Amino acid sequence: MTQPVEELHRDDVTTGMDLPEGVLVELIGAIADRDPTLIRQLLAPLHPADIADLIEQLSWDQQRLLAELDASLLTGEVLAEIGYDTRAGLFDLLETQQIVDALDGLDSDDKTMVVEELEPDVREAVLAAVSAEDREHLEASLAFEEETAGRLMQREFVAAPQFWTVGHTIDHMRLAGEELPDLFFEVFIVDEGFRPIGAVPVSRLMRSQRETPLSELMELAKITIRPEDDQEDAAYLFEKYHLISAPVVDDSGRLKGMLTVDDIVDVIQEENKEDLLALAGVNEAGLADTVWESVKSRAPWLLVNLGTAVLASLVIALFDQAIAQLVALAVLMPIVASMGGNAGTQSLAVAVRALATRDLTGANSLRFVWREAAAGLVNGVIFAVIMGIIAAVWFQEPDLGWVIAVAMVINLAIAGLAGVLVPLGLKHFGADPAVASSVFVTTVTDVVGFVVFLGLGALVLL
Amino acid sequence: MTQPVEELHRDDVTTGMDLPEGVLVELIGAIADRDPTLIRQLLAPLHPADIADLIEQLSWDQQRLLAELDASLLTGEVLAEIGYDTRAGLFDLLETQQIVDALDGLDSDDKTMVVEELEPDVREAVLAAVSAEDREHLEASLAFEEETAGRLMQREFVAAPQFWTVGHTIDHMRLAGEELPDLFFEVFIVDEGFRPIGAVPVSRLMRSQRETPLSELMELAKITIRPEDDQEDAAYLFEKYHLISAPVVDDSGRLKGMLTVDDIVDVIQEENKEDLLALAGVNEAGLADTVWESVKSRAPWLLVNLGTAVLASLVIALFDQAIAQLVALAVLMPIVASMGGNAGTQSLAVAVRALATRDLTGANSLRFVWREAAAGLVNGVIFAVIMGIIAAVWFQEPDLGWVIAVAMVINLAIAGLAGVLVPLGLKHFGADPAVASSVFVTTVTDVVGFVVFLGLGALVLL
């Protein structure tokens, strides 16, 4: 995108935000007309991220036709921006050599991201066709587990010994040229064992005098990341310490690569998406495009929910005599369950969020549990009073008011407890605290709500 | 944190991740002993973010004692890292001059973040006590609405005309010294009207030859942000285009400041937190620390839920005769409502997420609505078959199986529809699609579930 210009004014610059409304329609027309020249004209001024957005909005047939007309439009930068599902489809259309060409020019972390998604046989073919150096790096990255820092890590970085001066470092970088990463934000300072001891932000380097030694400019390398670290843990460190980049070191402490904040932004979004969808009982492929994939991503948790709903019904069935004698119990019982479910979901969301941001740790979990149970209890009392009065007036039966009030207090206090204890328990046993916890919590509140309300009702009112 | 060292080795560097387990206990002990020297010793080697974490884990009395013993420990950097609630409490303990001192040395965006939270009278006093330049900048920032780019924007940045060379730019920066921001990642290139036309990443500047003109190195400024833009929109641009910093321009297009990715990471977390908590019906202060604040953040939505639960009960009451005759209806009705509520919540989470990431737009909303309704329908059929058989066998009544099966299909299809249409509708009317949508969706699935199941039951079975 570098572009030498004689004298440029603001008005000469098209902005990405001005992506013309009609460009998608024009692109679809150009594809239908099989006009690669027009397609290139339309896409040329656009940012790869915008081209990727457009391609994602095409139908599968249009995507196929586009790839046939001019596969070179699918550059590495565009492919890297396209969502997982669409990208997998596009790869099926490309020759091995076309994929290899697309990889060329990407930084090593983006290469890994693209290659890790290829089908095993295509991946083998691509690995065989890239340069020996790329192959070695890719195989080393792919040896780390998915969602680890090793997969995200970029192998291009800039490192210098502490005794170098600013001038020496700048001269070195001017000579190194192509070997440096496309963008970097810090020069890592290493000791004689190539272990990071500090970092100098590039902006600080640039405004210092040439004779200044790096040791005077550096901040100590408080944070190092290991390739096997979970990407979520790396993201937490970036957030907490406001990092822009961070060194990744191997077992012996040697600097092997770096993570940069732009990849971390993607990780944060990914992890947040997973939490939100997991809480709602949607499996990973939740944003997939087809009806069938949507069904598959929802059905498992619906099945679990059916099981727990039937369990709740079995509880109700225990009290069928009571209900037959006093239908008011059947009319009111969903209120107790619903309020408990809601209060439990509230506590659960707060707890899952606090776990994700490490605000809920072993140290304060007792206080947290106590607070949620207490908040549930207080809200239980408030809504017990309201609902007790409503029930007593509605059915002209004060005892019914007392029964629903007591059931409400108990269920909301239990809801607050379950909302925290379930995710803490899941985490304790090494499971994701967001997955499955909703179902557990609402099962607890349903069963407790029905048992307490119907049981008390049978005892007191009949 | 700059530290000149003769010869440093990796082993000499304490890492932030090694924050000793016992330091909180030691700190609490030192506070109890009123020993400011020991407190300073404990905190001195720590990163401001770690100091902030420790302070947040102290009780309110301990925090007060700490501030009394040595208010200078509460530096601007530490205060900026402390969570909103704790910070507000600490400000009450500090003199105006202590707050002014703490602000000193922060970048303008962090100054704004700290000052915007002060009580109005304290804020006035602080504004009167800071330098004229700071006052002018702070007042200009505070004039923008909360959660806009203007509040996040940093007024220190580096700009250069396109005809400058690399050497000229570096020399200029060496001279400018203190006026430059602490950290920056790009030099913005401006035209003669000080309007941004491009940017040169600092790393690219540094590895280019001194005689190269900036116009040869720059990338065109495709993205500019306006101070009145919502911070969520700015965050979206950072994510989509992998920005590290972006220029902020005024009405006439003049460069006024910049946003940097570290602030955007906070915005992304904030917006994600809001969505997750809103979906669970927890108000803003959801992570607050006291029982009373927790109660307040949950009670409003519990009240709304009580209203809708009573509404559902009114629907059930319409069929009290049918229930009295056939208690199986009461036993099974929660299953229909629960499955509908679950399916609706799934669609809702997917839709809210897709709206947040702009994957759900006007262009594809029809396809999205159709897909969710269809997925609900398909899952409805699957679980209708399962539940129909269970009900028929359980109560030895084939017609009951048919009734619950039909009710299930209808309710799950409606759930899929409501899960998308409710957030789309809220967004259409300018409301946050995450807030209140859960309650609307489950109200729909409860009412539809009870009406269809009990209505069909009364019609077919009695």
Side-chain angles (χ1 to χ4, degrees), chain A residues 139-172:
Chain A
E139 283 174 349
S141 296
L142 294 171
F144 295 110
E145 283 192 49
E146 280 182 39
E147 308 209 337
T148 60
R151 288 280 178 109
L152 286 178
M153 159 177 101
Q154 189 172 340
R155 282 160 197 283
E156 302 88 6
F157 56 83
V158 184
Q162 53 196 313
F163 54 82
W164 277 17
T165 62
V166 169
H168 191 161
T169 311
I170 293 182
D171 294 343
H172 168 78

Side-chain angles (χ1 to χ4, degrees), chain A residues 2 174 208 216 281 288 371, chain B residues 2 174 181 208 216 288 346 371:
Chain A
T2 307
R174 286 193 180 132
S208 303
E216 273 183 32
R371 187 194 74 191
Chain B
T2 305
R174 286 195 180 131
S208 303
E216 272 184 33
Q346 290 178 329
R371 187 194 75 192

Side-chain angles (χ1 to χ4, degrees), chain A residues 31-32 34 60-70 93:
Chain A
I31 293 172
R34 294 164 192 257
W60 171 232
D61 283 337
Q62 288 161 345
Q63 289 174 9
R64 195 165 40 78
L65 206 48
L66 179 73
E68 275 171 23
L69 287 169
D70 188 353
L93 303 173

Side-chain angles (χ1 to χ4, degrees), chain B residues 434-455:
Chain B
V435 173
S437 45
S438 268
V439 170
F440 280 124
V441 170
T442 50
T443 305
V444 169
T445 54
D446 276 358
V447 169
V448 169
F450 291 135
V451 167
V452 173
F453 177 63
L454 296 175

Side-chain angles (χ1 to χ4, degrees), chain B residues 123-202:
Chain B
R123 189 196 289 181
E124 286 312 309
V126 167
L127 283 175
V130 296
S131 72
E133 194 193 353
D134 272 0
R135 181 162 51 248
E136 191 193 322
H137 284 173
L138 282 166
E139 283 174 349
S141 295
L142 295 170
F144 295 111
E145 283 191 48
E146 279 182 38
E147 307 208 336
T148 60
R151 289 278 180 112
L152 286 178
M153 157 178 103
Q154 187 173 340
R155 282 160 198 282
E156 302 87 8
F157 56 83
V158 184
Q162 55 195 309
F163 53 80
W164 277 18
T165 62
V166 169
H168 191 162
T169 310
I170 293 182
D171 293 343
H172 168 78
M173 283 191 279
R174 286 195 180 131
L175 287 173
E178 285 302 300
E179 283 169 41
L180 300 181
D182 221 28
L183 275 180
F184 56 97
F185 313 105
E186 291 178 306
V187 173
F188 297 117
I189 313 299
V190 289
D191 68 9
E192 71 287 354
F194 213 73
R195 295 173 301 180
I197 51 173
V200 181
V202 176

Side-chain angles (χ1 to χ4, degrees), chain B residues 13-296:
Chain B
V13 183
T14 343
T15 65
M17 298 168 77
D18 292 333
L19 187 62
E21 278 286 326
V23 69
L24 177 61
V25 178
E26 285 183 64
L27 178 63
I28 290 174
I31 293 171
D33 296 345
R34 294 167 192 255
D35 183 346
T37 318
L38 180 55
I39 296 175
R40 293 203 78 87
Q41 266 174 25
L42 287 168
L43 299 185
L46 302 181
H47 188 284
D50 287 316
I51 300 177
D53 270 5
L54 286 172
I55 291 177
E56 286 182 339
Q57 292 188 51
L58 296 176
S59 73
W60 171 232
D61 283 337
Q62 289 162 344
Q63 289 174 9
R64 194 165 39 77
L65 206 47
L66 180 72
E68 275 171 23
L69 287 169
D70 188 353
S72 73
L73 287 166
L74 301 172
T75 62
E77 280 176 319
V78 170
L79 285 170
E81 299 288 345
I82 290 181
Y84 175 84
D85 293 307
T86 309
R87 188 159 56 206
L90 291 172
F91 281 140
D92 292 340
L93 303 174
L94 298 178
E95 306 288 327
T96 303
Q97 190 53 46
Q98 289 172 325
I99 299 177
V100 172
D101 291 344
L103 287 176
D104 208 45
L106 287 181
D107 273 332
S108 55
D109 53 338
D110 290 327
K111 281 186 184 144
T112 305
M113 185 193 68
V114 169
V115 170
E116 71 184 352
E117 289 171 4
L118 296 172
E119 299 292 323
D121 53 326
V122 184
R123 189 196 289 181
E124 286 312 309
V126 167
L127 283 175
V130 296
S131 72
E133 194 193 353
D134 272 0
R135 181 162 51 248
E136 191 193 322
H137 284 173
L138 282 166
E139 283 174 349
S141 295
L142 295 170
F144 295 111
E145 283 191 48
E146 279 182 38
E147 307 208 336
T148 60
R151 289 278 180 112
L152 286 178
M153 157 178 103
Q154 187 173 340
R155 282 160 198 282
E156 302 87 8
F157 56 83
V158 184
Q162 55 195 309
F163 53 80
W164 277 18
T165 62
V166 169
H168 191 162
T169 310
I170 293 182
D171 293 343
H172 168 78
M173 283 191 279
R174 286 195 180 131
L175 287 173
E178 285 302 300
E179 283 169 41
L180 300 181
D182 221 28
L183 275 180
F184 56 97
F185 313 105
E186 291 178 306
V187 173
F188 297 117
I189 313 299
V190 289
D191 68 9
E192 71 287 354
F194 213 73
R195 295 173 301 180
I197 51 173
V200 181
V202 176
S203 55
R204 185 180 295 168
L205 194 68
M206 213 173 41
R207 68 195 203 203
S208 303
Q209 302 300 322
R210 281 184 64 86
E211 58 278 10
T212 318
L214 297 182
S215 56
E216 272 184 33
L217 299 176
M218 74 178 177
E219 295 179 13
L220 295 181
K222 295 200 179 261
I223 306 298
T224 54
I225 289 171
R226 315 243 328 175
E228 59 273 21
D229 286 347
D230 191 303
Q231 62 178 12
E232 202 172 350
D233 295 330
Y236 172 71
L237 293 173
F238 268 76
E239 263 183 81
K240 175 166 179 184
Y241 296 111
H242 309 289
L243 306 179
I244 301 296
S245 62
V248 182
V249 301
D250 67 9
D251 287 342
S252 60
R254 280 178 68 86
L255 181 59
K256 300 303 281 186
M258 69 170 175
L259 296 186
T260 54
V261 68
D262 52 324
D263 299 316
I264 293 295
V265 166
D266 294 340
V267 170
I268 291 174
Q269 284 293 40
E270 181 69 21
E271 300 287 344
N272 276 309
K273 182 189 79 180
E274 282 177 14
D275 277 356
L276 189 138
L277 294 183
L279 271 181
V282 183
N283 278 356
E284 264 184 59
L287 296 173
D289 222 26
T290 68
V291 172
W292 181 234
E293 283 170 312
S294 295
V295 169
K296 278 196 299 183

Side-chain angles (χ1 to χ4, degrees), chain A residues 25-351:
Chain A
V25 177
E26 285 183 67
L27 177 64
I28 290 174
I31 293 172
D33 296 346
R34 294 164 192 257
D35 183 347
T37 317
L38 180 54
I39 295 174
R40 291 204 79 87
Q41 266 174 24
L42 287 168
L43 300 184
L46 302 182
H47 188 284
D50 287 315
I51 299 178
D53 271 4
L54 286 172
I55 291 176
E56 287 182 337
Q57 292 189 50
L58 296 175
S59 73
W60 171 232
D61 283 337
Q62 288 161 345
Q63 289 174 9
R64 195 165 40 78
L65 206 48
L66 179 73
E68 275 171 23
L69 287 169
D70 188 353
S72 74
L73 287 166
L74 302 172
T75 62
E77 282 176 318
V78 170
L79 285 170
E81 299 286 346
I82 290 180
Y84 176 84
D85 293 310
T86 309
R87 187 157 58 204
L90 290 171
F91 281 140
D92 291 340
L93 303 173
L94 297 178
E95 304 289 328
T96 303
Q97 191 53 46
Q98 289 171 325
I99 298 176
V100 172
D101 291 345
L103 287 176
D104 208 43
L106 287 182
D107 273 332
S108 55
D109 53 338
D110 289 328
K111 281 186 184 142
T112 305
M113 185 193 69
V114 169
V115 170
E116 70 183 354
E117 290 172 4
L118 296 171
E119 298 290 325
D121 54 325
V122 184
R123 188 195 290 181
E124 287 311 308
V126 167
L127 284 175
V130 297
S131 71
E133 194 193 352
D134 273 0
R135 180 162 52 246
E136 190 193 323
H137 283 173
L138 282 167
E139 283 174 349
S141 296
L142 294 171
F144 295 110
E145 283 192 49
E146 280 182 39
E147 308 209 337
T148 60
R151 288 280 178 109
L152 286 178
M153 159 177 101
Q154 189 172 340
R155 282 160 197 283
E156 302 88 6
F157 56 83
V158 184
Q162 53 196 313
F163 54 82
W164 277 17
T165 62
V166 169
H168 191 161
T169 311
I170 293 182
D171 294 343
H172 168 78
M173 283 192 280
R174 286 193 180 132
L175 287 174
E178 284 304 300
E179 283 169 41
L180 299 182
D182 222 28
L183 274 179
F184 57 96
F185 314 106
E186 291 178 305
V187 173
F188 297 117
I189 312 299
V190 289
D191 69 8
E192 70 289 350
F194 213 71
R195 296 173 300 180
I197 50 173
V200 180
V202 176
S203 54
R204 185 179 296 169
L205 194 69
M206 211 172 44
R207 67 193 202 205
S208 303
Q209 302 299 323
R210 279 183 66 86
E211 58 278 11
T212 318
L214 297 182
S215 57
E216 273 183 32
L217 298 176
M218 75 179 177
E219 295 179 12
L220 294 182
K222 294 198 178 265
I223 307 298
T224 54
I225 289 170
R226 314 242 330 172
E228 58 273 20
D229 287 347
D230 191 304
Q231 62 179 12
E232 203 172 347
D233 296 329
Y236 171 71
L237 293 173
F238 268 77
E239 265 183 79
K240 174 166 179 183
Y241 298 110
H242 309 289
L243 306 179
I244 301 297
S245 61
V248 182
V249 300
D250 67 11
D251 286 343
S252 60
R254 281 179 67 88
L255 181 58
K256 300 304 279 186
M258 68 170 176
L259 295 186
T260 54
V261 69
D262 52 323
D263 299 316
I264 293 296
V265 166
D266 293 340
V267 170
I268 291 174
Q269 283 292 41
E270 182 69 21
E271 300 288 343
N272 277 308
K273 181 189 80 178
E274 282 177 14
D275 278 355
L276 189 139
L277 293 183
L279 271 181
V282 183
N283 276 356
E284 265 183 58
L287 296 172
D289 221 27
T290 69
V291 173
W292 181 235
E293 283 171 310
S294 295
V295 168
K296 277 197 298 184
S297 77
R298 323 280 166 89
W301 285 114
L302 287 175
L303 185 62
V304 174
N305 185 64
L306 183 68
T308 69
V310 169
L311 177 67
S313 288
L314 288 170
V315 169
I316 298 171
L318 295 176
F319 300 95
D320 56 353
Q321 296 304 322
I323 291 171
Q325 286 178 55
L326 187 63
V327 176
L329 291 176
V331 172
L332 293 176
M333 69 183 183
I335 295 178
V336 180
S338 162
M339 291 297 283
N342 248 269
T345 304
Q346 290 178 330
S347 287
L348 178 60
V350 171

